[in-house]
Amino acid sequence: MNPEIERKIDSEIASLLQEIKGVRRTIHQNPELSGKEYKTAHYLFTLLKEKGFSPKYHLKKTAVSLTLNNGRGKKIVLRADTDALPITEQNGIAYRSQNEGVMHACGHDMHSAILLGAVLALWKLRQYWRGTIVCLFQPSEEQEPGGAYWLIKEGVFPRDADAVFGLHVNPDYTTGSIALKKKYDFAGVTLFDALIRGRGAHGASPEKSIDPIVCAAAMIMSLQTVVSRECPAVETAVVTVGSLHAGVRRNIIPDTAQFQGTIRYHTEKVQQLLVGSIGKKLKKTAESFGADVELRFEKSYPPGYNNEQLTDKAKNVFREYFGESRVIKREVPSMYAEDFSRYQEIVPGLYIHLGVKPPQKRTMEGIHSPRFLPDESAIKTGMEAHVVFAL
């Protein structure tokens, strides 16, 4: 990259940094759940208007888009998500969440602030680029089918874009670094629900029951060998049961029990294998107990696929700007899921990891933890990554 452009990027981002940190803290302090990001969207919309831009609302004013037109050239999309999680924050910071039971525990507050900062920097640097940059502040990443689904369905996401770019904070990497991987990185997800129908009885006479709780327990244990014994060892997959409900009192065996889980994978072949295997196992287990099971499978986010040519090109430019040691080549794909993958199904896309672990720490709390606290210094690197990618 041209040294003059590098100096201009450094200068513009440095001039914006304190303001953007303040934006991040305001968003962090006022988190909103998926589909309810009205105040967050209004805040971002207002900031952009005050800067002289012409943003637009979408999805009942929970989403905001902005298009930067600067002559003829390629069209790219930069995307950030804006929603928070139903978690009570446990960080003792001055800007902790003011909405009880809601927290930005996944870093979307940083994503949004970073994109806003990148927008301001890119417009100041417009002498160095030509084309169109579409910026999406997207709601509902945490809730299926995802805000990306709706922005695509309503025609907000431009299908004629040449590329789409985004990032996610990652506490596994040190502040100042970014990490990227070619091909599959984030996982696809299929949801599943199991409803077991047995026969209730008094807890003192279990022989008169068909116990759905014991049956559910046996089913869940049987799932622990699906990946280890039925999925090819060279493939990556995860089966997780995250919700189990049954009964109302300790001495009553209920009629029903139910549990919910997720299947994570990177290829359609593995998805089909796991769905088939799980269905077969659960039905056979129910049969052995004399119970019935009602199963439901639903595809959620597709696997995230980083376009090979785009990843190679971006990696080289990132290394020119950041230096080789700060650009990490990921070898193993992540099992987290992201609805950004929906955009990647339409146009070439790249989704990278932003290091947010303070340099002095060996480990830190992970995302979705009530104590997740990313290093704010990473905002600078995030803004730089957006600007360098765009240029």
Side-chain angles (χ1 to χ4, degrees):
M1 181 174 283
N2 186 306
E4 178 197 346
I5 299 178
E6 289 190 15
R7 286 193 296 271
K8 289 292 290 183
I9 294 172
D10 292 343
S11 174
E12 294 298 347
I13 289 178
S15 70
L16 292 165
L17 205 49
Q18 284 308 115
E19 178 184 1
I20 299 306
K21 284 183 179 179
V23 170
R24 182 257 165 165
R25 291 188 177 197
T26 298
I27 297 173
H28 186 90
Q29 205 164 19
N30 299 278
E32 296 175 294
L33 295 175
S34 302
K36 299 178 180 179
E37 304 92 333
Y38 303 107
K39 292 180 180 178
T40 305
H42 177 72
Y43 177 61
L44 293 165
F45 184 93
T46 302
L47 286 175
L48 290 167
K49 287 282 285 186
E50 289 173 350
K51 298 291 184 181
F53 297 107
S54 300
K56 294 179 181 178
Y57 279 123
H58 308 281
L59 308 183
K60 299 179 180 178
K61 293 190 173 183
T62 61
V64 175
S65 73
L66 175 69
T67 300
L68 303 178
N69 291 307
N70 191 30
R72 296 181 62 182
K74 292 187 176 182
K75 179 186 289 185
I76 66 166
V77 182
L78 305 178
R79 172 270 199 179
D81 38 16
T82 61
D83 52 333
L85 290 158
I87 293 173
T88 299
E89 183 164 10
Q90 295 180 19
N91 292 312
I93 51 177
Y95 56 93
R96 73 190 303 273
S97 171
Q98 298 300 297
N99 295 342
E100 188 63 31
V102 186
M103 177 193 172
H104 271 294
C106 202
H108 297 184
D109 52 334
M110 283 187 66
H111 300 172
S112 299
I114 284 168
L115 179 54
L116 179 73
V119 167
L120 302 181
L122 281 164
W123 194 240
K124 289 184 177 181
L125 294 163
R126 60 188 178 277
Q127 70 185 90
Y128 298 108
W129 62 272
R130 291 287 180 271
T132 301
I133 302 175
V134 178
C135 305
L136 300 179
F137 295 90
Q138 178 214 295
S140 301
E141 186 279 323
E142 298 285 357
Q143 182 173 302
E144 297 87 0
Y149 173 86
W150 296 112
L151 288 180
I152 292 167
K153 187 173 183 180
E154 296 204 359
V156 180
F157 181 82
R159 290 177 171 272
D160 62 343
D162 292 285
V164 59
F165 176 78
L167 56 71
H168 202 293
V169 296
N170 190 325
D172 292 336
Y173 299 109
T174 303
T175 298
S177 65
I178 59 172
L180 64 166
K181 181 186 180 301
K182 273 198 294 192
K183 299 184 179 181
Y184 290 108
D185 194 353
F186 280 68
V189 177
T190 292
L191 317 175
F192 66 89
D193 300 293
L195 174 63
I196 300 96
R197 301 184 190 279
R199 185 171 64 242
H202 194 290
S205 52
E207 73 281 1
K208 296 179 181 179
S209 75
I210 296 175
D211 194 330
I213 295 177
V214 177
C215 181
M219 287 178 171
I220 293 169
M221 290 308 296
S222 74
L223 295 182
Q224 305 312 303
T225 59
V226 170
V227 173
S228 67
R229 288 296 173 268
E230 299 189 41
C231 184
V234 294
E235 299 281 2
T236 49
V238 176
V239 176
T240 298
V241 173
S243 172
L244 170 63
H245 298 277
V248 293
R249 293 190 63 176
R250 68 181 74 237
N251 63 344
I252 302 172
I253 295 172
D255 282 329
T256 63
Q258 55 187 321
F259 60 87
Q260 300 174 314
T262 59
I263 307 166
R264 294 172 184 264
Y265 49 89
H266 290 108
T267 67
E268 190 70 19
K269 180 181 176 181
V270 171
Q271 189 269 349
Q272 292 175 3
L273 183 153
L274 293 175
V275 167
S277 176
I278 289 171
K280 194 182 304 179
K281 274 183 179 290
L282 298 191
K283 287 174 183 176
K284 288 290 186 183
T285 304
E287 186 181 323
S288 72
F289 277 82
D292 292 318
V293 62
E294 182 181 316
L295 295 174
R296 185 182 74 91
F297 294 93
E298 180 186 345
K299 274 191 175 181
S300 179
Y301 303 159
Y305 189 89
N306 288 326
N307 178 271
E308 295 172 64
Q309 291 75 27
L310 188 64
T311 305
D312 282 337
K313 184 176 180 181
K315 181 177 65 178
N316 292 334
V317 178
F318 285 148
R319 284 180 171 172
E320 282 181 32
Y321 182 84
F322 291 112
E324 194 155 340
S325 64
R326 292 174 59 192
V327 181
I328 300 164
K329 179 184 176 184
R330 286 171 53 81
E331 301 293 343
V332 179
S334 169
M335 298 311 295
Y336 291 111
E338 245 286 347
D339 73 345
F340 184 88
S341 59
R342 295 196 186 278
Y343 303 131
Q344 292 171 301
E345 287 188 313
I346 299 172
V347 304
L350 174 61
Y351 199 62
I352 71 170
H353 302 252
L354 176 68
V356 293
K357 181 176 65 177
Q360 68 274 16
K361 287 191 174 182
R362 292 183 61 187
T363 60
M364 64 174 284
E365 292 283 348
I367 58 174
H368 290 215
S369 161
R371 294 170 297 282
F372 179 60
L373 191 61
D375 184 357
E376 273 189 336
S377 300
I379 289 174
K380 179 176 184 289
T381 308
M383 288 170 63
E384 290 170 332
H386 279 79
V387 170
V388 168
F389 178 89
L391 294 181

